[in-house]
Amino acid sequence: MASTPVPAGRGGTAFVLGGGGVLGAAEVGMLRALFEHRVRPDLIVGTSVGAINGALVAADPAPSAVDRLRAVWEELASQRIFAGSVLARVGTLVRTRTHLHPREPLRELLEAHLPATTFAELRVPFQCVAASIERAAEQWFAEGPLVDAVLASCAVPGLLPPVELGGEHYLDGGLVHSIPVGRAVALGADTIYVLHVGRIDRPLRPPTRPWEVALVSFEIARRHRFAADLAALPPGVTLHVLPSSDQGPPAAGDLRNLRYRDFSGVPERIDRAYAATRDYLARAGTSADEGV
């Protein structure tokens, strides 16, 4: 499957929603603040959990989307998606040899809450990215079945199985493009709001424990791509990196990504991100003049 061609852009406002698992709840607070300031997107691009949040907003680009997203996160918090005892998860791993959880609960959640089944039904143009196993390359989805594409973008290695589409297998988009600012630029956006989970705000330090090696390695890769996109930002493009107000230790000691089933901090994370983004937009003087 060839990557979706990039159409010629004519400017406009883009929301870029990054990946980050449970930390992605912060994006709900950011979206609330954006809508309250009457900032509307002309384009949305998303990765991993940002693809979930982004697809819901693209289907309903209004404050009501925040309420719908809260309902989604409440269901995630109930652990229905990543439910099961340790024995059940180990049983799934032994049976499949590749992952701990089936994808069906996440599919059911998306189908229940997304008011669209295809990209063509969305009210705002939306694209999400996944990593092709066979081509070792990014694959952008902009047409066809919506849920399948979002599931591909969210297929976290080891947690969920790869998604097969058109004879090709896909894993989580964060492997190739965790905060896809470059895609928004390529699609012609001239005002970009970056919704991220906060990890880029915390300094990295050398790993001291076995599990930190993989975490730090992934952080280097994702931050390198983001930094490259920022360095290549063309003249005339206005970039707003919204504050998540995330609180935590330096990234090498942060175990929250390993606690992927712990949604206890979701309400507080949403509220902190909302307050921080609201204050940022007030200082920036952002108004209804942005977006549609």
Side-chain angles (χ1 to χ4, degrees):
M1 182 184 294
S3 184
T4 305
V6 179
R10 294 179 177 273
T13 297
F15 288 1
V16 174
L17 292 91
V22 67
L23 304 182
E27 296 174 355
V28 181
M30 296 174 182
L31 288 165
R32 177 187 170 192
L34 285 167
F35 285 127
E36 284 188 359
H37 279 75
R38 296 185 295 169
V39 180
R40 300 292 188 268
D42 301 301
L43 167 71
I44 299 172
V45 294
T47 297
S48 195
V49 72
I52 296 177
N53 294 335
L56 281 156
V57 174
D60 180 25
S64 54
V66 176
D67 297 330
R68 193 185 299 270
L69 273 171
R70 279 189 173 273
V72 170
W73 280 92
E74 285 173 2
E75 289 201 36
L76 288 170
S78 72
Q79 297 190 1
R80 187 173 71 88
I81 302 303
F82 297 119
S85 64
V86 173
L87 286 177
R89 298 196 299 274
V90 171
T92 300
L93 180 60
V94 170
R95 185 175 65 256
T96 66
R97 297 185 295 178
T98 59
H99 55 275
L100 292 170
H101 300 280
R103 76 168 66 91
E104 285 72 24
L106 181 55
R107 176 183 290 278
E108 292 170 2
L109 178 68
L110 293 173
E111 290 175 344
H113 289 278
L114 269 172
T117 59
T118 67
F119 282 84
E121 297 172 35
L122 297 173
R123 294 173 59 188
V124 171
F126 167 70
Q127 296 191 8
C128 62
V129 66
S132 166
I133 294 177
E134 285 83 358
R135 290 183 289 113
E138 64 187 58
Q139 169 67 41
W140 283 94
F141 295 96
E143 57 186 14
L146 181 61
V147 171
D148 287 341
V150 173
L151 286 172
S153 188
C154 295
V156 181
L159 296 186
L160 295 169
V163 173
E164 182 178 0
L165 296 172
E168 201 165 340
H169 297 80
Y170 297 97
L171 286 172
D172 192 284
L175 296 172
V176 289
H177 222 330
S178 188
I179 308 175
V181 169
R183 185 66 175 184
V185 172
L187 290 169
D190 56 19
T191 302
I192 300 173
Y193 290 87
V194 177
L195 291 74
H196 64 98
V197 303
R199 294 200 305 251
I200 59 175
D201 296 333
R202 297 196 303 279
L204 288 174
R205 58 179 174 79
T208 59
R209 299 175 178 86
W211 59 81
E212 293 176 354
V213 175
L215 291 177
V216 172
S217 299
F218 181 70
E219 278 299 306
I220 291 172
R222 70 189 294 274
R223 296 186 191 196
H224 172 76
R225 182 71 183 264
F226 180 57
D229 279 353
L230 296 189
L233 206 65
V237 174
T238 301
L239 187 76
H240 299 275
V241 180
L242 301 181
S244 69
S245 191
D246 193 36
Q247 299 172 357
D254 192 352
L255 301 181
R256 285 173 297 176
N257 286 330
L258 300 181
R259 302 191 189 112
Y260 65 94
R261 302 171 76 228
D262 182 7
F263 288 81
S264 60
V266 161
E268 182 183 359
R269 185 168 292 117
I270 291 174
D271 292 341
R272 286 202 312 265
Y274 163 70
T277 300
R278 178 198 59 200
D279 293 345
Y280 169 86
L281 294 174
R283 292 192 304 271
T286 306
S287 69
D289 293 335
E290 306 283 359
V292 296

